Amino acid sequence: MSDRFVSSRYRGMASTPMSSSVDRATRFDDVVNFSLGDPDLTTDPRIIDAAAADAHAGHTHYTDTFGDPELREEILAFYRQEYGYQPDPRELLVTTSGCHAMWLALESILDDGDEVVICEPYFTPYPHQIRLARGVPVVLSTLESEEFQVVPSRLEAVITPRTRAIILNTPANPTGSCLSRATKEAVARIAAEHDLIVIADEIYTLFSYGEEFEPFAMLPGMSERTITIGSFSKDFAMTGWRIGYVLAPPAVTMAMKDVNENNVFTAPSISQRAALHALRLREQIQPPMRALYRERLMHAYQRVCDMPGMSAIEPKGSIYLWVNITATGLSSDQVAERLFDEAHVLTIPGPAFGAGCEGYLRLAMTVGVEKIDEAFDRIARMDLFGGSPQR
């Protein structure tokens, strides 16, 4: 079929490894799927039931274009109660997911050709989202030997007169790392010196296993130049509800609201009600979720440490394990293919998260410990990892 009607910007664009993994997962009936970061947990029934009751009560209409007033009030209360941080209500906009929030932010702050620094390994959509907003992604490498911290001198080296923003993701997808307080302070200093915006992608706040999480906007002087991306997808197992929010300086939030009115108008009313009830129930819902994912992550980490040909640094957060497979002598794609073909274990090869990520695989801990053990038991039988050749 001819693609002459497709914009030249999108002709030949490849699907992301995330979407292609959905199709591959159906190839075998016993696949252990470590590919997508979609929690295997169903949204807590108390949230579902409360949202359904609200739908029956009439919450099936457009909401305020900034978001359901009750939800906005609850989000602001959450920041006060959890962090002692009090955003201005004018800074808050409810969005149709964290990904949509990121695109809205970029669309609202970038002029054509503006540059945005992203830290590699990065969440796969970042460069595409930047290009959608007619910006230019600039990759800043972070290294396993440095626990994937941002090195200030390397950050300053990639800043140019066209640099507009820096995207920070902590706890991080895909590495499982968390930026230290010293790293965040250094980034804040550089952002202030170069008059840059920091887009803080903070959708894994529940899954900070070492130090307690602190919003980037709370650093001295940073609330006026930080756009915070929040989401209910991972912290409440609500990926399918597609609900998120942003906190940003009021002028930026207003621009995002105006863009959004010409895009989806408002986030879904039912999803906003679900998010409201999730926040109100968080003390009952979230602690068991956090403990479960930490147990899974650390269990898989130990299995990796015991596996010839694999290694990883101890994950500090998120729900992902970033596995170094350079000792196999094969590429990430080759190892991922063999894991799938021989062990029926589905992973995402490192280069999906940046060209400099060869030699890694990402494993999402979205299956239980028994399935994790089943996967690693199968891998251990592969000759690639020291087992007997398969017959």
Side-chain angles (χ1 to χ4, degrees), residues 200-255:
D201 185 350
E202 298 181 348
I203 78 162
Y204 294 98
T205 58
L206 178 64
F207 306 105
S208 180
Y209 305 122
E211 299 179 2
E212 289 295 317
F213 180 80
E214 179 185 35
F216 191 86
M218 290 184 66
L219 291 173
M222 288 309 296
S223 63
E224 64 191 38
R225 62 174 68 253
T226 299
I227 300 173
T228 299
I229 308 292
S231 172
F232 292 82
S233 288
K234 308 302 166 66
D235 282 5
F236 288 97
M238 291 176 62
T239 53
W241 298 84
R242 310 312 298 139
I243 194 73
Y245 61 88
V246 292
L247 291 168
V252 174
T253 305
M254 179 62 74

Short mmCIF file of all heavy atoms in Angstrom, two decimals, residues 200-255:
data_model
loop_
_atom_site.label_atom_id
_atom_site.label_comp_id
_atom_site.label_asym_id
_atom_site.label_seq_id
_atom_site.Cartn_x
_atom_site.Cartn_y
_atom_site.Cartn_z
N ALA A 200 10.79 16.77 35.32
CA ALA A 200 11.02 15.69 36.27
C ALA A 200 9.96 14.62 36.07
O ALA A 200 8.79 14.80 36.45
CB ALA A 200 10.99 16.23 37.70
N ASP A 201 10.35 13.52 35.45
CA ASP A 201 9.44 12.40 35.20
C ASP A 201 9.43 11.53 36.46
O ASP A 201 10.32 10.71 36.67
CB ASP A 201 9.94 11.61 33.98
CG ASP A 201 8.98 10.51 33.57
OD1 ASP A 201 8.04 10.22 34.33
OD2 ASP A 201 9.19 9.92 32.49
N GLU A 202 8.40 11.72 37.29
CA GLU A 202 8.36 11.12 38.61
C GLU A 202 7.17 10.17 38.74
O GLU A 202 6.30 10.34 39.59
CB GLU A 202 8.32 12.22 39.68
CG GLU A 202 9.58 13.09 39.61
CD GLU A 202 9.64 14.20 40.65
OE1 GLU A 202 8.61 14.48 41.30
OE2 GLU A 202 10.73 14.80 40.81
N ILE A 203 7.14 9.15 37.87
CA ILE A 203 5.98 8.27 37.89
C ILE A 203 6.21 7.00 38.70
O ILE A 203 5.30 6.19 38.84
CB ILE A 203 5.51 7.92 36.46
CG1 ILE A 203 6.39 6.87 35.81
CG2 ILE A 203 5.41 9.16 35.60
CD1 ILE A 203 5.71 6.21 34.63
N TYR A 204 7.44 6.83 39.24
CA TYR A 204 7.73 5.64 40.06
C TYR A 204 8.04 6.02 41.51
O TYR A 204 8.84 5.38 42.17
CB TYR A 204 8.91 4.87 39.47
CG TYR A 204 8.64 4.26 38.12
CD1 TYR A 204 9.04 4.90 36.95
CD2 TYR A 204 7.97 3.04 38.01
CE1 TYR A 204 8.78 4.35 35.71
CE2 TYR A 204 7.72 2.48 36.77
CZ TYR A 204 8.11 3.14 35.62
OH TYR A 204 7.86 2.59 34.39
N THR A 205 7.40 7.05 42.00
CA THR A 205 7.74 7.57 43.32
C THR A 205 7.54 6.55 44.43
O THR A 205 8.27 6.54 45.42
CB THR A 205 6.91 8.83 43.64
OG1 THR A 205 5.52 8.51 43.55
CG2 THR A 205 7.22 9.94 42.66
N LEU A 206 6.57 5.67 44.28
CA LEU A 206 6.32 4.64 45.30
C LEU A 206 7.49 3.68 45.41
O LEU A 206 7.76 3.13 46.48
CB LEU A 206 5.05 3.85 44.94
CG LEU A 206 4.66 2.70 45.87
CD1 LEU A 206 4.32 3.22 47.27
CD2 LEU A 206 3.49 1.91 45.28
N PHE A 207 8.21 3.49 44.31
CA PHE A 207 9.21 2.43 44.23
C PHE A 207 10.62 2.99 44.38
O PHE A 207 11.52 2.70 43.58
CB PHE A 207 9.06 1.68 42.91
CG PHE A 207 7.66 1.15 42.71
CD1 PHE A 207 6.79 1.75 41.82
CD2 PHE A 207 7.20 0.07 43.44
CE1 PHE A 207 5.51 1.28 41.64
CE2 PHE A 207 5.91 -0.42 43.29
CZ PHE A 207 5.05 0.19 42.37
N SER A 208 10.84 3.77 45.42
CA SER A 208 12.17 4.24 45.79
C SER A 208 12.55 3.46 47.04
O SER A 208 12.02 3.71 48.12
CB SER A 208 12.17 5.75 46.06
OG SER A 208 13.45 6.20 46.42
N TYR A 209 13.47 2.49 46.89
CA TYR A 209 13.69 1.51 47.94
C TYR A 209 14.79 1.87 48.93
O TYR A 209 14.88 1.30 49.99
CB TYR A 209 14.01 0.14 47.32
CG TYR A 209 12.97 -0.33 46.35
CD1 TYR A 209 13.32 -0.63 45.03
CD2 TYR A 209 11.64 -0.46 46.72
CE1 TYR A 209 12.37 -1.06 44.12
CE2 TYR A 209 10.68 -0.88 45.83
CZ TYR A 209 11.05 -1.19 44.52
OH TYR A 209 10.10 -1.61 43.62
N GLY A 210 15.66 2.81 48.54
CA GLY A 210 16.73 3.20 49.43
C GLY A 210 16.31 4.40 50.25
O GLY A 210 15.77 4.29 51.36
N GLU A 211 16.53 5.57 49.69
CA GLU A 211 16.13 6.81 50.36
C GLU A 211 14.67 7.13 50.06
O GLU A 211 14.12 6.73 49.04
CB GLU A 211 17.02 7.97 49.88
CG GLU A 211 18.50 7.77 50.20
CD GLU A 211 19.35 8.92 49.68
OE1 GLU A 211 18.76 9.87 49.13
OE2 GLU A 211 20.58 8.85 49.83
N GLU A 212 14.04 7.87 50.95
CA GLU A 212 12.68 8.33 50.70
C GLU A 212 12.69 9.27 49.51
O GLU A 212 13.60 10.10 49.36
CB GLU A 212 12.13 9.05 51.94
CG GLU A 212 11.83 8.13 53.10
CD GLU A 212 10.71 7.15 52.79
OE1 GLU A 212 9.69 7.56 52.20
OE2 GLU A 212 10.87 5.96 53.13
N PHE A 213 11.67 9.16 48.67
CA PHE A 213 11.61 10.00 47.49
C PHE A 213 11.34 11.46 47.86
O PHE A 213 10.57 11.74 48.77
CB PHE A 213 10.52 9.50 46.54
CG PHE A 213 10.42 10.33 45.29
CD1 PHE A 213 11.30 10.14 44.25
CD2 PHE A 213 9.46 11.33 45.20
CE1 PHE A 213 11.24 10.92 43.11
CE2 PHE A 213 9.38 12.12 44.06
CZ PHE A 213 10.27 11.91 43.01
N GLU A 214 11.98 12.37 47.14
CA GLU A 214 11.74 13.81 47.30
C GLU A 214 11.54 14.43 45.93
O GLU A 214 12.38 14.25 45.04
CB GLU A 214 12.93 14.49 48.00
CG GLU A 214 12.73 15.98 48.17
CD GLU A 214 13.96 16.67 48.75
OE1 GLU A 214 15.09 16.24 48.43
OE2 GLU A 214 13.79 17.65 49.51
N PRO A 215 10.43 15.13 45.70
CA PRO A 215 10.20 15.76 44.40
C PRO A 215 11.33 16.73 44.03
O PRO A 215 11.81 17.48 44.89
CB PRO A 215 8.88 16.49 44.58
CG PRO A 215 8.19 15.78 45.70
CD PRO A 215 9.30 15.34 46.61
N PHE A 216 11.72 16.71 42.76
CA PHE A 216 12.80 17.59 42.30
C PHE A 216 12.43 19.06 42.52
O PHE A 216 13.29 19.88 42.83
CB PHE A 216 13.09 17.33 40.83
CG PHE A 216 14.34 18.01 40.33
CD1 PHE A 216 15.57 17.39 40.46
CD2 PHE A 216 14.29 19.27 39.75
CE1 PHE A 216 16.73 18.00 40.04
CE2 PHE A 216 15.45 19.89 39.30
CZ PHE A 216 16.67 19.26 39.45
N ALA A 217 11.15 19.38 42.37
CA ALA A 217 10.71 20.77 42.50
C ALA A 217 10.94 21.34 43.89
O ALA A 217 10.91 22.56 44.08
CB ALA A 217 9.23 20.89 42.13
N MET A 218 11.19 20.48 44.88
CA MET A 218 11.42 20.96 46.24
C MET A 218 12.83 21.47 46.47
O MET A 218 13.10 22.09 47.50
CB MET A 218 11.11 19.84 47.24
CG MET A 218 9.63 19.50 47.35
SD MET A 218 9.28 18.25 48.61
CE MET A 218 9.73 19.12 50.12
N LEU A 219 13.74 21.20 45.53
CA LEU A 219 15.09 21.75 45.70
C LEU A 219 15.02 23.27 45.67
O LEU A 219 14.19 23.86 44.95
CB LEU A 219 16.00 21.24 44.57
CG LEU A 219 16.33 19.74 44.61
CD1 LEU A 219 17.09 19.34 43.36
CD2 LEU A 219 17.15 19.40 45.85
N PRO A 220 15.87 23.95 46.43
CA PRO A 220 15.82 25.41 46.51
C PRO A 220 15.82 26.07 45.13
O PRO A 220 16.68 25.78 44.28
CB PRO A 220 17.08 25.77 47.30
CG PRO A 220 17.34 24.55 48.14
CD PRO A 220 16.93 23.39 47.29
N GLY A 221 14.83 26.92 44.90
CA GLY A 221 14.76 27.69 43.67
C GLY A 221 14.25 26.94 42.46
O GLY A 221 14.16 27.52 41.36
N MET A 222 13.88 25.65 42.60
CA MET A 222 13.56 24.86 41.42
C MET A 222 12.06 24.80 41.09
O MET A 222 11.70 24.40 39.98
CB MET A 222 14.09 23.43 41.57
CG MET A 222 15.60 23.34 41.45
SD MET A 222 16.27 24.16 39.97
CE MET A 222 15.54 23.18 38.67
N SER A 223 11.19 25.18 42.01
CA SER A 223 9.76 25.10 41.68
C SER A 223 9.41 25.99 40.50
O SER A 223 8.52 25.67 39.71
CB SER A 223 8.91 25.49 42.90
OG SER A 223 9.16 26.83 43.27
N GLU A 224 10.16 27.08 40.33
CA GLU A 224 9.86 28.02 39.24
C GLU A 224 10.40 27.56 37.89
O GLU A 224 10.07 28.16 36.87
CB GLU A 224 10.45 29.39 39.56
CG GLU A 224 11.96 29.41 39.63
CD GLU A 224 12.50 30.70 40.22
OE1 GLU A 224 11.88 31.23 41.15
OE2 GLU A 224 13.54 31.17 39.72
N ARG A 225 11.21 26.49 37.87
CA ARG A 225 11.73 26.01 36.59
C ARG A 225 11.65 24.48 36.46
O ARG A 225 12.43 23.87 35.74
CB ARG A 225 13.16 26.49 36.37
CG ARG A 225 14.20 26.00 37.39
CD ARG A 225 15.61 26.41 37.02
NE ARG A 225 15.82 27.84 37.12
CZ ARG A 225 15.93 28.67 36.07
NH1 ARG A 225 15.86 28.20 34.85
NH2 ARG A 225 16.11 29.96 36.25
N THR A 226 10.68 23.88 37.17
CA THR A 226 10.48 22.43 37.10
C THR A 226 9.07 22.12 36.63
O THR A 226 8.10 22.69 37.12
CB THR A 226 10.71 21.77 38.47
OG1 THR A 226 12.06 22.02 38.90
CG2 THR A 226 10.50 20.26 38.39
N ILE A 227 8.98 21.20 35.69
CA ILE A 227 7.71 20.60 35.29
C ILE A 227 7.71 19.17 35.80
O ILE A 227 8.54 18.36 35.39
CB ILE A 227 7.52 20.61 33.76
CG1 ILE A 227 7.54 22.05 33.21
CG2 ILE A 227 6.23 19.90 33.37
CD1 ILE A 227 7.54 22.13 31.69
N THR A 228 6.82 18.87 36.73
CA THR A 228 6.74 17.53 37.31
C THR A 228 5.69 16.72 36.57
O THR A 228 4.55 17.17 36.42
CB THR A 228 6.38 17.61 38.80
OG1 THR A 228 7.40 18.34 39.50
CG2 THR A 228 6.25 16.21 39.40
N ILE A 229 6.09 15.53 36.12
CA ILE A 229 5.15 14.60 35.49
C ILE A 229 4.76 13.54 36.51
O ILE A 229 5.62 12.85 37.06
CB ILE A 229 5.79 13.90 34.27
CG1 ILE A 229 6.39 14.92 33.30
CG2 ILE A 229 4.78 12.98 33.59
CD1 ILE A 229 5.40 15.78 32.58
N GLY A 230 3.47 13.43 36.78
CA GLY A 230 2.97 12.42 37.70
C GLY A 230 2.01 11.49 36.99
O GLY A 230 1.43 11.83 35.95
N SER A 231 1.83 10.29 37.53
CA SER A 231 0.96 9.30 36.91
C SER A 231 0.43 8.34 37.96
O SER A 231 1.08 8.10 38.98
CB SER A 231 1.74 8.52 35.84
OG SER A 231 0.99 7.43 35.35
N PHE A 232 -0.73 7.77 37.68
CA PHE A 232 -1.32 6.75 38.54
C PHE A 232 -1.06 5.35 38.01
O PHE A 232 -1.43 4.36 38.65
CB PHE A 232 -2.83 6.99 38.67
CG PHE A 232 -3.17 8.24 39.44
CD1 PHE A 232 -3.15 9.48 38.82
CD2 PHE A 232 -3.45 8.19 40.79
CE1 PHE A 232 -3.43 10.65 39.53
CE2 PHE A 232 -3.73 9.34 41.52
CZ PHE A 232 -3.71 10.58 40.88
N SER A 233 -0.42 5.24 36.85
CA SER A 233 -0.28 3.95 36.17
C SER A 233 0.47 2.92 37.00
O SER A 233 -0.01 1.80 37.19
CB SER A 233 0.43 4.14 34.83
OG SER A 233 -0.41 4.78 33.90
N LYS A 234 1.65 3.28 37.47
CA LYS A 234 2.50 2.30 38.16
C LYS A 234 2.27 2.32 39.67
O LYS A 234 2.22 1.27 40.30
CB LYS A 234 3.97 2.55 37.83
CG LYS A 234 4.26 2.64 36.33
CD LYS A 234 3.84 1.39 35.59
CE LYS A 234 3.81 1.60 34.09
NZ LYS A 234 5.08 1.84 33.46
N ASP A 235 2.15 3.52 40.24
CA ASP A 235 2.01 3.61 41.70
C ASP A 235 0.69 3.06 42.21
O ASP A 235 0.54 2.80 43.41
CB ASP A 235 2.16 5.08 42.14
CG ASP A 235 3.61 5.53 42.16
OD1 ASP A 235 4.49 4.75 41.74
OD2 ASP A 235 3.87 6.67 42.60
N PHE A 236 -0.30 2.90 41.30
CA PHE A 236 -1.60 2.36 41.71
C PHE A 236 -2.09 1.23 40.80
O PHE A 236 -3.25 0.85 40.87
CB PHE A 236 -2.65 3.48 41.74
CG PHE A 236 -2.48 4.46 42.86
CD1 PHE A 236 -1.82 5.67 42.65
CD2 PHE A 236 -2.95 4.18 44.13
CE1 PHE A 236 -1.65 6.58 43.68
CE2 PHE A 236 -2.78 5.09 45.17
CZ PHE A 236 -2.13 6.29 44.95
N ALA A 237 -1.21 0.69 39.94
CA ALA A 237 -1.61 -0.37 39.00
C ALA A 237 -2.83 0.05 38.19
O ALA A 237 -3.85 -0.66 38.12
CB ALA A 237 -1.87 -1.69 39.73
N MET A 238 -2.73 1.22 37.56
CA MET A 238 -3.85 1.80 36.83
C MET A 238 -3.45 2.17 35.40
O MET A 238 -3.90 3.17 34.86
CB MET A 238 -4.39 3.03 37.57
CG MET A 238 -5.07 2.71 38.88
SD MET A 238 -5.60 4.18 39.81
CE MET A 238 -6.76 4.94 38.69
N THR A 239 -2.64 1.34 34.76
CA THR A 239 -2.15 1.69 33.41
C THR A 239 -3.28 1.92 32.42
O THR A 239 -3.22 2.82 31.59
CB THR A 239 -1.22 0.58 32.88
OG1 THR A 239 -1.89 -0.67 32.95
CG2 THR A 239 0.07 0.51 33.68
N GLY A 240 -4.32 1.09 32.47
CA GLY A 240 -5.39 1.19 31.49
C GLY A 240 -6.32 2.38 31.69
O GLY A 240 -7.09 2.72 30.78
N TRP A 241 -6.28 3.02 32.84
CA TRP A 241 -7.14 4.17 33.09
C TRP A 241 -6.63 5.42 32.38
O TRP A 241 -7.40 6.36 32.17
CB TRP A 241 -7.26 4.44 34.60
CG TRP A 241 -7.86 3.33 35.38
CD1 TRP A 241 -7.22 2.22 35.87
CD2 TRP A 241 -9.22 3.21 35.79
NE1 TRP A 241 -8.10 1.42 36.56
CE2 TRP A 241 -9.34 2.00 36.52
CE3 TRP A 241 -10.36 4.01 35.62
CZ2 TRP A 241 -10.54 1.58 37.08
CZ3 TRP A 241 -11.56 3.57 36.17
CH2 TRP A 241 -11.65 2.38 36.89
N ARG A 242 -5.34 5.44 32.04
CA ARG A 242 -4.70 6.55 31.33
C ARG A 242 -4.96 7.88 32.03
O ARG A 242 -5.64 8.77 31.53
CB ARG A 242 -5.17 6.63 29.85
CG ARG A 242 -5.11 5.33 29.07
CD ARG A 242 -3.79 4.58 29.21
NE ARG A 242 -2.64 5.29 28.73
CZ ARG A 242 -1.46 5.30 29.36
NH1 ARG A 242 -1.29 4.67 30.50
NH2 ARG A 242 -0.45 5.96 28.84
N ILE A 243 -4.35 8.02 33.20
CA ILE A 243 -4.56 9.24 33.98
C ILE A 243 -3.25 9.68 34.62
O ILE A 243 -2.53 8.87 35.20
CB ILE A 243 -5.68 9.03 35.03
CG1 ILE A 243 -6.15 10.36 35.61
CG2 ILE A 243 -5.31 8.03 36.08
CD1 ILE A 243 -6.97 11.18 34.68
N GLY A 244 -2.94 10.96 34.48
CA GLY A 244 -1.73 11.53 35.06
C GLY A 244 -1.95 13.00 35.36
O GLY A 244 -3.10 13.49 35.36
N TYR A 245 -0.86 13.71 35.62
CA TYR A 245 -0.98 15.14 35.92
C TYR A 245 0.38 15.81 35.77
O TYR A 245 1.42 15.14 35.66
CB TYR A 245 -1.52 15.37 37.34
CG TYR A 245 -0.65 14.81 38.44
CD1 TYR A 245 0.38 15.55 39.01
CD2 TYR A 245 -0.87 13.51 38.92
CE1 TYR A 245 1.17 15.02 40.02
CE2 TYR A 245 -0.09 12.97 39.91
CZ TYR A 245 0.94 13.73 40.46
OH TYR A 245 1.72 13.20 41.45
N VAL A 246 0.36 17.13 35.73
CA VAL A 246 1.60 17.90 35.76
C VAL A 246 1.51 18.98 36.83
O VAL A 246 0.43 19.48 37.13
CB VAL A 246 1.92 18.59 34.41
CG1 VAL A 246 2.24 17.58 33.34
CG2 VAL A 246 0.78 19.49 33.96
N LEU A 247 2.66 19.29 37.40
CA LEU A 247 2.84 20.48 38.23
C LEU A 247 3.89 21.32 37.54
O LEU A 247 4.98 20.83 37.22
CB LEU A 247 3.30 20.11 39.64
CG LEU A 247 2.31 19.38 40.53
CD1 LEU A 247 3.00 18.83 41.77
CD2 LEU A 247 1.16 20.31 40.94
N ALA A 248 3.57 22.57 37.28
CA ALA A 248 4.49 23.43 36.53
C ALA A 248 4.23 24.88 36.88
O ALA A 248 3.18 25.21 37.46
CB ALA A 248 4.30 23.21 35.02
N PRO A 249 5.17 25.78 36.55
CA PRO A 249 4.88 27.20 36.75
C PRO A 249 3.56 27.58 36.08
O PRO A 249 3.24 27.06 35.01
CB PRO A 249 6.08 27.89 36.07
CG PRO A 249 7.18 26.89 36.16
CD PRO A 249 6.51 25.56 35.99
N PRO A 250 2.76 28.45 36.71
CA PRO A 250 1.41 28.73 36.21
C PRO A 250 1.33 29.10 34.74
O PRO A 250 0.39 28.67 34.05
CB PRO A 250 0.95 29.88 37.12
CG PRO A 250 1.67 29.66 38.40
CD PRO A 250 3.02 29.14 38.00
N ALA A 251 2.28 29.86 34.22
CA ALA A 251 2.23 30.24 32.81
C ALA A 251 2.36 29.02 31.91
O ALA A 251 1.71 28.91 30.86
CB ALA A 251 3.33 31.25 32.49
N VAL A 252 3.19 28.05 32.33
CA VAL A 252 3.37 26.81 31.56
C VAL A 252 2.11 25.96 31.65
O VAL A 252 1.63 25.41 30.65
CB VAL A 252 4.60 26.04 32.04
CG1 VAL A 252 4.70 24.68 31.34
CG2 VAL A 252 5.87 26.84 31.82
N THR A 253 1.55 25.84 32.86
CA THR A 253 0.33 25.06 33.02
C THR A 253 -0.80 25.63 32.19
O THR A 253 -1.58 24.89 31.56
CB THR A 253 -0.09 25.02 34.50
OG1 THR A 253 0.99 24.52 35.28
CG2 THR A 253 -1.30 24.13 34.71
N MET A 254 -0.91 26.95 32.14
CA MET A 254 -1.96 27.58 31.33
C MET A 254 -1.76 27.26 29.85
O MET A 254 -2.72 26.94 29.14
CB MET A 254 -1.95 29.10 31.54
CG MET A 254 -2.99 29.84 30.72
SD MET A 254 -4.71 29.36 31.11
CE MET A 254 -4.89 30.18 32.71
N ALA A 255 -0.52 27.32 29.38
CA ALA A 255 -0.26 26.98 27.98
C ALA A 255 -0.61 25.52 27.70
O ALA A 255 -1.21 25.19 26.67
CB ALA A 255 1.21 27.24 27.64
#
